[in-house]
Amino acid sequence: MTDYFEFYDLPESFQLDEATLKQKYYAFSREFHPDFHATAPAERQQEILHLATQNTNAYRTLSDPDQRMAYILGRHNLLEEGKQEIPSDFLMEVMELNEQLMELEMEPDPNVVASVENEVNAIAATLDAGIEPVLIGYPGLPPDVRPQALQQVRTYYLKRRYLLRIRESLAKFATRS
């Protein structure tokens, strides 16, 4: 697996300088554009095509904050299949929301949809505020402290994905009412 941060000569970070990332992407796009290497030997053309593809994939991944987070967690083997358990305290916190979603299946109610939506937004805002210092400070952490920070980010990521599923369910109910 290619290290996209190394590819762009950037430090591993959850919060990148978007302008720098875009600048590196465009520079590599020009450098690795297949049209500029049309007269190169076939082996070099293949290499350029590989680098152009890698540049596109790296930019797509690193330019999207959610994909970047998943990428970093995946690089550290923290998103292994079957090991993505939601913390039980969080599940208890959102249990009532799940119950309200089940009730909406039987009896759609726009007021309940709005109420659940507001609560999901409040939970998400609390999660975002709680993880922001970790995301900001991550690049400066000593290597021995990073695993703890990554675990916090992993928990945040899993909770956000859970809330996304609730939001997707809410969107279905909102279109019915």
Side-chain angles (χ1 to χ4, degrees):
M1 180 180 198
T2 302
D3 181 342
Y4 293 154
F5 292 103
E6 187 177 299
F7 182 76
Y8 285 134
D9 193 29
L10 295 170
E12 182 179 84
S13 177
F14 291 100
Q15 299 190 328
L16 292 176
D17 176 1
E18 299 294 328
T20 301
L21 178 63
K22 193 176 280 191
Q23 181 182 28
K24 289 180 181 275
Y25 168 71
Y26 285 132
F28 282 168
S29 292
R30 285 186 295 278
E31 183 179 340
F32 302 136
H33 196 284
D35 289 350
F36 296 133
H37 302 276
T39 59
E43 187 176 290
R44 178 68 177 151
Q45 287 182 21
Q46 281 299 103
E47 181 184 344
I48 291 296
L49 185 59
H50 172 74
L51 290 169
T53 302
Q54 190 172 341
N55 183 44
T56 299
N57 292 339
Y59 183 73
R60 277 190 194 135
T61 300
L62 296 182
S63 65
D64 179 90
D66 290 331
Q67 287 186 33
R68 182 182 328 127
M69 187 176 287
Y71 173 73
I72 293 171
L73 293 172
R75 287 187 60 212
H76 294 278
N77 298 315
L78 293 172
L79 291 181
E80 295 177 45
E81 201 62 39
K83 294 186 178 181
Q84 300 180 23
E85 298 173 10
I86 305 288
S88 58
D89 60 331
F90 178 76
L91 291 174
M92 294 302 289
E93 183 181 346
V94 296
M95 187 183 334
E96 186 178 322
L97 295 175
N98 284 317
E99 289 171 1
Q100 290 178 38
L101 286 175
M102 287 188 274
E103 289 173 15
L104 284 171
E105 282 285 339
M106 303 298 184
E107 195 175 319
D109 182 342
N111 293 328
V112 174
V113 170
S115 171
V116 171
E117 203 168 67
N118 288 337
E119 187 148 351
V120 167
N121 290 339
I123 293 169
T126 301
L127 288 174
D128 291 345
I131 200 66
E132 188 174 357
V134 177
L135 299 178
I136 291 170
Y138 180 79
L141 291 176
D144 61 323
V145 179
R146 281 189 171 195
Q148 293 168 304
L150 287 168
Q151 285 298 331
Q152 288 177 288
V153 174
R154 176 185 179 273
T155 300
Y156 165 80
Y157 177 80
L158 294 175
K159 288 177 178 181
R160 285 238 350 243
R161 283 187 46 202
Y162 191 88
L163 291 176
L164 177 63
R165 287 193 292 275
I166 291 175
R167 283 189 169 128
E168 288 169 350
S169 295
L170 284 171
K172 292 176 195 171
F173 296 123
T175 58
R176 289 184 200 166
S177 30

